[in-house]
Amino acid sequence: LIAAMQEMGIGFSLVLFGQSVRIIKTEEQEWNPSVLWTLMQYTSTNDTMTMDADGIEAALQLVHGRGGAERKVFVLTDGYGTCGLRLPLVLDSAERQGIEVVGLAVGVDRTNVQKAYSRYVIAMEPAAVPQALRALYLEESFPPDDNEPSVFR
């Protein structure tokens, strides 16, 4: 996903959430080895909480000032957050601000993404994510055959 955004010249921020929210990269920062190293330091934590609403709220603040540019937040999640009723409130706030939030689940584990997010993609493997996102935004049917069960809305 990051490589695709870089190739298309799309600026992005990176926010991680677990027991706390961490801004790993802002749109102004360059994607470089030190940012990747910072990201890798937090990807294998034993967080038992998923502060998804707080993470999305931080992401909304980062994209709020982008002016007329399209503003999107992609949330890599299983859809099982620990913020209770705050998540729908934050998602509603994003909608009112004109910021699209897309839940993105990858893998064969059971997810709750389709219940938590009005726009979502579920891809059974990472290689299917680009095609699923294309299908989401181009409103194409996906998957092209029944052998690759991914879902989007």
Side-chain angles (χ1 to χ4, degrees):
L1 190 57
I2 290 171
M5 288 190 289
Q6 285 181 303
E7 189 173 313
M8 292 185 290
I10 298 172
F12 64 94
S13 297
L14 189 57
V15 177
L16 293 183
F17 55 88
Q19 288 181 332
S20 63
V21 175
R22 298 171 184 96
I23 297 173
I24 303 298
K25 177 194 171 307
T26 65
E27 187 173 349
E28 293 77 24
Q29 291 175 292
E30 181 182 324
W31 177 257
N32 59 41
S34 66
V35 174
L36 178 59
W37 184 85
T38 302
L39 172 63
M40 299 310 291
Q41 297 305 301
Y42 293 109
T43 55
S44 61
T45 64
N46 294 322
D47 283 351
T48 56
M49 297 181 72
T50 305
M51 304 303 288
D52 49 2
D54 296 317
I56 294 169
E57 211 165 41
L60 294 179
Q61 290 174 7
L62 288 170
V63 299
H64 182 71
R66 291 195 63 203
E70 273 190 272
R71 300 177 299 170
K72 297 184 187 309
V73 173
F74 293 95
V75 182
L76 282 86
T77 181
D78 60 5
Y80 294 106
T82 57
C83 287
L85 297 176
R86 285 198 53 242
L87 179 60
L89 295 173
V90 170
L91 294 174
D92 184 59
S93 173
E95 189 174 326
R96 285 193 317 274
Q97 295 176 52
I99 301 171
E100 181 182 26
V101 179
V102 178
L104 175 57
V106 180
V108 296
D109 294 334
R110 184 177 60 134
T111 71
N112 195 46
V113 174
Q114 63 274 26
K115 292 180 183 167
Y117 296 86
S118 59
R119 300 274 291 173
Y120 63 89
V121 169
I122 301 172
M124 295 304 163
E125 56 186 38
V129 171
Q131 185 179 10
L133 287 171
R134 238 185 335 272
L136 176 68
Y137 287 104
L138 299 177
E139 297 183 8
E140 299 173 348
S141 60
F142 181 80
D145 59 52
D146 294 332
N147 296 328
E148 206 174 322
S150 294
V151 179
F152 74 94
R153 177 170 182 220

